[in-house]
């Protein structure tokens, strides 16, 4: 038997070594270092639950402080590196190899550690890709995850921010790995079982609640009138045009403006019930007015958002909630919904090149990707037909057997902060790849997946372009006064406009004169709270009350 | 609904007065700019950050000055101050139904040093002269930068202050207090603390603002229309009564460290909920509870 059960035998040895540290499955927080030393072996593949929002911060800190003489050369597999501790493990020599998806807040330090040789990066993944590899060649031997509450049997309640926990635990537990949990509280009975106790080996009550970042809160006060104009163009020129009902939004102010324009501008165009009814989206506070106005039928979420708990609980017809009333999120499933169940992805970017490749990479920072690459790619495996998907497919006119296309819209002002042009001949991603020794330039959304580019100058419909030259001129045609825009071929851009490949605001009946902040359904955080009937409770940093 | 907070000085005037009745004095094309800023090579504004003129409010003649927060935070320089003082002095000749001061300012423009300080004191003297002539001077305060510094004092000299909850009124601004007294005394980054201390709602409860309105130009217009033609008396007994009122207020709340405790002591139910209430509900909840204000019968 042992010949076919080496993993199980090894697992049993680890659990046995740790038995003196634990009482049943419960481990005291002061013994966490001992536990990790007994359970983790040098060279192990370890998954720290680092999500977009919630972080197993106590366990990450404990791992980083292990003795590198005893625990070393770990291979960390982790979707998001958000905390300093996530890099301390490499700095201190506990770990040496990394496979990940996103490292936004730690991007600059990650680049420094890489160039100093403290770690090697396997690959920068999209979320679904990394999750897929958890079940093929990157299965964790030990996982360090976090939960809101646990009982003594190890049953876990993850609360609204379930995020990556099910994927990590399933991959680890069913391949004879070890699952260690930090819980904010240990209770007699969890409000609902998000992870069954027999998938969990050890539970430690963390001295303070795990860290959660409110990543998706956008203060409406910071939305500009240019963003209002672009949101009007999106609603009238794309959402209404294609009849997009199933969609995912990025997390920037551009798309927050769209959310806040649905109940005002969208309503005035008679679009309620006709667009934006089904969402793969975190519970964005900016969506509250649209939900209250009856635009939204359903929202499935990757994670939750701080302050939205009571609002979500009071709107069970809209959100996916458990029998206990709180949100059930799941990043892997929501990404799948975004990839296969949505007809459109729309989001912001930093740089677009002449082929439409879109990137948020900047020099000296290895930031990776958020949810955009999976959702912002055409699902070529898709088989079910919807009108917007079929129409986009017809516009692409590839010939042969009828196929649909996902709408992938990149929304960007021609100049971003510090007057940096958003349109460039060559993405910074190339230089970053060279300097960091990456095999691929980190492109967020590939040009051949992008269907529309929307700027304050107009909408370029790349589906209608018949060759690379047209595509380049369509992009230059909406690039405004950037060097890329000024180098346009005026005659060709004029022809593209005549053919409807480029459409200016006036071509779609959008009057820039009415694009004022008065159109926003909420202009401040307080407006959002009031729109929610007092149910939304924003974090302190967003309040003036 | 059009936001006062987000509007420019000119948009506020346009929304406040009867349509097409505003006639500007010293228009931007006259290019009356600050000589001090020119000297320093600093950017100028053709109106020096304040718009003055005359127009009609609900059919009644008024003189209006509106500070532009977007230009140097509405700070008062020599030309800027002289425009406001000149407008107030003109009121003595024209006897309008009111002078409306649409204030948004951090106080004196530091670049202009003493010239700015003198300008603010001239504004104060002119306000008192106009009031003594029984012409009401009304402050409208709901802009991004609040009303601080010497102009905070000037505002308090007027007949009435109309505020929105977004508006702020004070002498030293939050950052100045934190810098000089320390973060333990006042944490300027705690926005909730700032608004609950110097924001419109607390200023209303403390009897400093006569009216609290929503952040809507139409509501400011309606509130101002009620206040024209109704000057408060300004004589020695009135000033002494006001001083007595301020002394009484100070004694009554001197042991208190936070505005919310004042609201509780005034018998306002659920004081912790006041900051989130809309202005109508807020006025209902606080009815009869606020500290006595200027002009209230003793």
């Amino acid at each position: 038997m042992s010949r076919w059960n080496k993993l199980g035998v090894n697992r049993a040895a680890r659990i046995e070594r740790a038995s003196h540290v634990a009482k049943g499955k419960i481990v005291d927080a002061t013994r966490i270092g001992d536990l990790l030393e007994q359970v983790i072996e040098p060279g192990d593949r370890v998954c720290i639950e680092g999500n977009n929002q919630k972080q197993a911060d106590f366990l990450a800190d404990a791992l980083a402080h292990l003795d590198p003489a005893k625990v070393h050369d770990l291979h960390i597999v982790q979707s998001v590196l958000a905390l300093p501790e996530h890099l301390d493990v490499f700095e201190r020599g506990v770990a040496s190899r990394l496979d990940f998806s996103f490292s936004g807040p730690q991007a600059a330090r990650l680049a420094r550690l890489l160039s100093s040789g403290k770690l090697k990066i396997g690959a920068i993944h999209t979320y679904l890709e990394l999750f897929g590899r958890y079940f093929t060649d990157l299965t964790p031997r030990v996982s360090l995850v976090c939960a809101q509450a646990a009982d003594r049997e190890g049953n876990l309640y993850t609360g609204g921010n379930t995020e990556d926990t099910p994927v990590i635990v399933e991959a680890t537990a069913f391949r004879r790995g070890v699952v260690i949990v930090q819980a904010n509280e240990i209770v007699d009975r969890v409000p609902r079982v998000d992870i069954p106790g027999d998938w969990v080996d050890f539970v430690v009550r963390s001295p303070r609640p795990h860290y959660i970042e409110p990543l998706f809160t956008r203060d409406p006060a910071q939305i500009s009138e240019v963003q209002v104009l672009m949101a009007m163009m999106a609603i009238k020129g794309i959402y209404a045009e294609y009849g997009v009902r199933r969609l995912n939004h990025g997390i920037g102010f551009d798309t927050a403006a769209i959310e806040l324009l649905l109940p005002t501008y969208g309503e005035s165009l008679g679009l309620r019930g006709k667009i934006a009814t089904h969402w793969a989206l975190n519970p964005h506070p900016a969506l509250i007015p649209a939900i209250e106005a009856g635009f939204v039928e359903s929202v499935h979420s990757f994670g939750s958002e701080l302050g939205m708990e009571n609002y979500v609980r009071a709107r069970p017809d809209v959100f996916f909630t458990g029998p206990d009333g709180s949100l059930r999120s799941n990043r892997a499933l929501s990404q799948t919904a975004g990839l296969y169940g949505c007809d459109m992805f729309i989001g912001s970017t930093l740089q677009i090149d002449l082929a439409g490749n879109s990137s948020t990479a900047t020099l000296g920072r290895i930031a990776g990707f958020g949810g955009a690459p999976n959702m912002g790619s055409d699902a070529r495996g898709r088989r079910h037909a919807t009108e917007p998907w079929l129409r986009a497919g017809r516009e692409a006119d590839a010939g042969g057997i009828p196929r649909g296309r996902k709408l992938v819209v990149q929304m960007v002002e021609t100049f971003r902060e510090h007057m940096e042009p958003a349109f460039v001949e060559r993405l910074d991603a190339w230089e970053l790849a060279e300097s960091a020794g990456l095999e691929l330039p980190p492109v967020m959304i590939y040009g051949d997946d992008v269907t529309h580019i929307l700027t304050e100058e107009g909408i370029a419909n790349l589906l209608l372009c018949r060759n690379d030259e047209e595509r380049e001129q369509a992009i230059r045609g909406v690039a405004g006064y950037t060097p890329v825009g000024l180098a346009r071929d005026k005659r060709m851009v004029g022809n593209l406009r005549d053919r409807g490949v480029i459409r200016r605001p006036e071509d779609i009946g959008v009057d820039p004169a009415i694009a004022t902040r008065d159109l926003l359904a909420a202009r401040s955080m307080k407006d959002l709270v009031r729109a929610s009937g007092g149910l939304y409770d924003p974090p302190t940093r967003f309040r003036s009350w | 609904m059009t936001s006062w907070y987000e509007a420019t000085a000119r948009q506020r005037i346009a929304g406040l007065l009867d349509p097409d009745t505003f006639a500007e004095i010293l228009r931007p094309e006259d290019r009356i700019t600050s000589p001090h800023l020119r000297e320093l090579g600093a950017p100028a504004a053709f109106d020096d950050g304040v718009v003055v003129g005359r127009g009609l409010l609900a059919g009644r003649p008024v003189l209006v000055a509106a500070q532009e927060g977007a230009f140097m935070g509405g700070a008062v320089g020599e030309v800027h101050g002289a425009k406001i003082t000149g407008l107030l002095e003109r009121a003595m000749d024209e006897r309008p139904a009111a002078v409306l001061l649409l204030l948004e300012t951090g106080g004196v423009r530091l670049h202009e040093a003493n010239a700015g300080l003198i300008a603010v004191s001239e504004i104060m003297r002119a306000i008192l002269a106009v009031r003594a002539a029984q012409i009401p001077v009304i402050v409208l305060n709901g802009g991004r930068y609040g009303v601080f510094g010497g102009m905070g004092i000037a505002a308090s000299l007027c007949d009435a202050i109309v505020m929105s909850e977004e508006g702020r009124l004070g002498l030293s601004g939050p950052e100045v207090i934190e810098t000089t007294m320390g973060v333990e005394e006042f944490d300027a980054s705690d926005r909730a603390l700032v608004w609950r201390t110097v924001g419109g709602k607390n200023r209303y409860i403390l009897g400093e603002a006569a009216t609290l309105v929503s952040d809507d130009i139409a509501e400011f217009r309606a509130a101002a229309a009620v206040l024209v033609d109704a000057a408060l008396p300004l004589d020695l007994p009135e000033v002494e009564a006001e001083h007595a009122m301020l002394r009484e207020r100070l004694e009554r709340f001197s042991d208190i460290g936070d505005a919310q405790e004042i609201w509780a002591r005034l018998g306002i139910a659920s004081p912790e909920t006041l900051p989130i209430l809309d202005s109508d509900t807020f006025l209902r909840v606080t009815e009869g509870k606020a500290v006595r204000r200027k002009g209230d019968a003793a």
Side-chain angles (χ1 to χ4, degrees):
Chain A
M1 176 65 185
S2 69
R3 202 182 132 206
W4 291 105
N5 188 27
K6 286 184 207 131
L7 290 174
V9 170
N10 172 269
R11 171 192 149 81
R14 293 173 188 241
I15 303 281
E16 173 58 30
R17 283 201 302 270
S19 60
H20 70 282
V21 182
K23 199 170 168 187
K25 290 187 175 178
I26 307 295
V27 176
D28 192 81
T30 57
R31 305 295 304 275
I32 188 64
D34 297 336
L35 176 75
L36 296 182
E37 263 178 21
Q38 298 305 328
V39 167
I40 299 174
E41 296 175 0
D44 269 353
R45 197 177 296 119
V46 173
C47 177
I48 305 172
E49 183 161 20
N51 293 315
N52 217 357
Q53 292 175 280
K54 80 167 172 181
Q55 307 295 338
D57 50 358
F58 175 67
L59 296 178
D61 184 64
L63 184 71
H65 285 89
L66 294 184
D67 179 358
K70 294 185 188 155
V71 180
H72 49 85
D73 289 310
L74 299 184
H75 178 183
I76 303 291
V77 292
Q78 172 178 357
S79 62
V80 177
L81 289 92
L83 305 174
E85 294 84 350
H86 294 151
L87 291 178
D88 292 347
V89 290
F90 298 102
E91 183 107 59
R92 293 197 65 251
V94 174
S96 59
R97 190 172 169 78
L98 173 67
D99 276 279
F100 76 111
S101 292
F102 180 65
S103 72
Q106 301 298 331
R109 189 168 160 222
L110 179 59
R112 284 199 303 276
L113 284 173
L114 181 69
S115 62
S116 72
K118 289 270 188 189
L119 81 157
K120 287 196 167 52
I121 292 177
I124 309 174
H125 303 75
T126 67
Y127 285 131
L128 284 177
E129 224 179 332
L130 184 64
F131 298 158
R133 291 190 73 188
Y134 285 173
F135 294 91
T136 49
D137 59 336
L138 290 184
T139 307
R141 198 75 198 104
V142 178
S143 285
L144 310 176
V145 302
C146 62
Q148 172 62 36
D151 66 17
R152 276 160 225 292
E153 268 74 61
N155 293 303
L156 304 184
Y157 170 59
T158 50
N161 284 90
T162 301
E163 302 191 64
D164 302 8
T165 319
V167 164
I168 298 169
V169 175
E170 176 137 2
T172 312
F174 288 91
R175 199 146 164 79
R176 302 288 186 271
V178 179
V179 175
I180 301 172
V181 184
Q182 73 170 78
N184 292 346
E185 52 184 346
I186 292 174
V187 297
D188 290 334
R189 193 180 161 82
V190 289
R192 72 171 187 236
V193 178
D194 287 309
I195 303 288
D198 58 0
W199 305 5
V200 170
D201 298 296
F202 299 103
V203 177
V204 55
R205 180 168 177 254
S206 57
R208 54 176 191 285
H210 58 249
Y211 178 75
I212 300 189
E213 171 78 15
L215 270 180
F216 303 97
T217 301
R218 295 286 169 268
D219 185 345
Q222 293 183 40
I223 292 173
S224 70
E225 299 201 324
V226 172
Q227 286 165 332
V228 172
L229 172 66
M230 287 166 61
M232 292 168 71
M233 292 162 65
I235 289 172
K236 192 148 186 215
I238 298 176
Y239 291 54
E241 188 80 23
Y242 290 87
V244 178
R245 296 187 58 183
R246 311 178 311 165
L247 73 165
N248 166 258
H249 269 193
I251 67 170
F253 284 98
D254 292 326
T255 41
I258 296 174
E259 289 153 26
L260 290 168
L261 246 52
L262 288 174
T264 55
Y265 185 65
E267 179 73 41
S268 75
L269 298 175
L271 295 173
R272 176 156 38 95
K274 298 190 178 132
I275 62 165
T277 52
H278 297 80
W279 298 71
L281 194 79
N282 274 51
H284 287 191
L287 196 63
I288 291 171
I291 293 172
E292 294 305 300
F295 264 78
V296 177
E297 284 181 39
S298 76
V299 178
H300 186 265
S301 301
F302 315 89
S304 186
E305 183 65 357
L306 278 178
M308 287 290 282
E309 299 82 1
N310 291 335
Y311 181 74
V312 166
R313 186 180 291 275
R315 299 289 180 274
D317 285 347
V318 173
F319 293 96
F320 287 72
T321 54
D324 66 312
S326 68
L327 182 75
R328 164 74 177 196
S329 61
N330 186 314
R331 175 152 292 108
L333 298 182
S334 212
Q335 287 283 336
T336 306
L339 177 57
Y340 275 101
C342 286
D343 295 315
M344 180 173 81
F345 164 79
I346 180 167
S348 312
T349 186
L350 290 183
Q351 284 188 337
I352 296 177
D353 71 11
L354 298 175
N357 293 305
S358 165
S359 167
T360 54
T362 45
L363 275 182
R365 292 169 53 86
I366 301 178
F369 314 110
N374 289 137
M375 291 178 292
S377 62
D378 187 30
R380 297 183 59 78
R382 179 174 161 179
R383 292 295 182 279
H384 70 288
T386 56
E387 188 43 42
W389 184 75
L390 287 173
R391 174 165 166 191
R394 284 195 298 274
E395 288 184 350
D397 190 25
I401 289 177
R403 298 273 302 262
R405 273 289 292 267
K406 179 192 275 175
L407 296 162
V408 175
V409 183
Q410 289 292 277
M411 193 174 181
V412 66
E413 284 180 48
T414 52
F415 287 92
R416 52 190 171 91
E417 282 178 338
H418 313 301
M419 291 302 280
E420 289 285 330
F423 291 88
V424 294
E425 302 266 344
R426 184 179 148 97
L427 300 173
D428 284 355
W430 287 97
E431 221 174 314
L432 177 66
E434 286 154 22
S435 67
L438 305 174
E439 285 167 283
L440 302 169
V443 172
M444 182 172 72
I445 297 182
Y446 288 115
D448 56 3
D449 279 322
V450 174
T451 63
H452 295 74
I453 295 174
L454 194 167
T455 72
E456 75 277 16
E457 297 282 328
I459 300 171
N461 182 343
L462 303 184
L463 291 167
L464 297 174
C465 296
R466 289 294 163 256
N467 53 51
D468 290 349
E469 193 189 2
E470 281 190 10
R471 192 179 177 84
E472 176 180 328
Q473 290 302 328
I475 292 170
R476 290 188 190 275
V478 294
Y481 291 87
T482 61
V484 162
L486 292 173
R488 77 187 66 164
D489 176 331
K490 288 209 172 65
R491 192 185 50 84
M492 238 183 123
V493 167
N495 285 341
L496 290 172
R497 187 174 173 192
D498 292 342
R499 275 171 47 201
V501 176
I502 292 175
R503 299 207 291 167
R504 306 291 177 205
E506 57 269 33
D507 301 342
I508 51 175
V510 168
D511 178 5
I514 66 161
T516 69
R517 284 179 42 81
D518 290 342
L519 267 185
L520 296 171
R523 287 185 301 211
S524 65
M525 293 301 289
K526 216 172 242 187
D527 286 350
L528 289 177
V529 175
R530 286 172 185 151
S532 76
L535 292 165
Y536 172 45
D537 184 24
T540 320
R541 77 166 100 145
F542 294 104
R543 290 164 176 265
S544 63
W545 67 95
Chain B
M1 177 169 139
T2 305
S3 169
W4 181 279
Y5 184 80
E6 294 180 7
T8 63
R10 288 172 194 280
Q11 288 168 333
R12 285 174 193 157
I13 290 177
L16 184 73
L17 299 183
D18 300 350
D20 303 319
T21 63
F22 181 65
E24 187 169 352
I25 303 168
L26 300 179
R27 292 143 53 97
E29 29 296 39
D30 297 331
R31 307 274 162 110
I32 311 290
T33 59
S34 162
H36 305 280
L37 294 179
R38 200 180 310 133
E39 199 74 9
L40 294 167
F46 293 151
D47 55 14
D48 204 36
V50 65
V51 183
V52 298
R54 60 172 80 76
L56 298 176
L57 174 64
R60 299 290 296 141
V62 290
L63 294 180
V64 186
Q67 294 179 302
E68 176 52 63
F71 181 65
M72 310 193 90
V76 180
E78 187 173 11
V79 169
H80 180 121
K83 286 174 77 173
I84 299 174
T85 302
L87 183 84
L88 286 158
E89 287 174 350
R90 184 180 285 259
M92 308 289 281
D93 301 332
E94 296 190 4
R95 299 205 59 87
V99 181
L100 307 177
L101 302 179
L102 285 52
L103 302 186
E104 179 176 359
T105 177
V108 169
R109 190 182 293 167
L110 297 177
H111 312 63
E112 310 205 8
N114 291 355
L117 286 167
I118 292 167
V120 171
S121 61
E122 286 173 346
I123 291 171
M124 292 179 191
R125 185 162 49 191
I127 288 170
L128 292 172
V130 173
R131 283 195 59 197
Q134 288 293 285
I135 300 162
V137 185
I138 299 157
V139 172
L140 308 182
N141 171 2
R144 219 173 267 277
Y145 294 87
V147 177
F148 288 103
M151 289 305 287
I153 304 176
S156 300
L157 296 177
C158 298
D159 287 77
I161 303 175
V162 177
M163 282 182 88
S164 63
E165 63 169 291
E166 286 79 3
R168 290 174 296 161
L169 174 67
L171 183 53
S172 298
E175 284 84 6
V176 177
I177 300 175
E178 183 183 310
T179 307
T180 52
M181 304 294 287
V183 70
E184 303 77 19
E185 176 69 20
F186 201 79
D187 179 358
S189 70
D190 183 345
R191 287 154 37 97
L193 171 68
V194 169
W195 260 270
R196 122 177 136 247
T197 309
V198 298
K201 283 176 172 167
N202 193 38
R203 292 308 183 195
Y204 174 81
I205 291 174
L206 291 178
E208 289 161 8
T211 328
L212 188 90
V213 297
S214 301
D215 176 36
D216 181 359
I217 293 180
E219 289 205 22
F220 274 92
R221 173 179 156 89
V226 171
L227 292 164
V228 298
D229 287 315
L232 297 179
L234 182 69
D235 53 22
L236 188 57
E238 275 303 317
V239 173
E240 286 177 337
E242 195 174 339
H243 282 197
M245 195 179 79
L246 291 172
R247 195 177 315 113
E248 184 199 337
R249 191 181 77 178
L250 185 63
E251 284 161 5
R252 190 172 173 194
F253 304 119
S254 60
D255 59 320
I256 279 179
D258 191 290
Q260 196 175 301
E261 298 168 43
I262 297 180
W263 309 340
R265 187 169 295 180
L266 287 167
I268 297 168
S270 311
E272 71 286 353
T273 63
L274 283 195
I276 191 63
L277 300 180
D278 61 44
S279 54
D280 287 342
T281 317
F282 169 86
L283 290 172
R284 205 167 53 241
V285 169
T286 58
E287 197 175 356
K289 309 278 190 194
V291 172
R292 200 158 52 87
R293 65 202 68 241
K294 202 184 290 188
D296 284 356

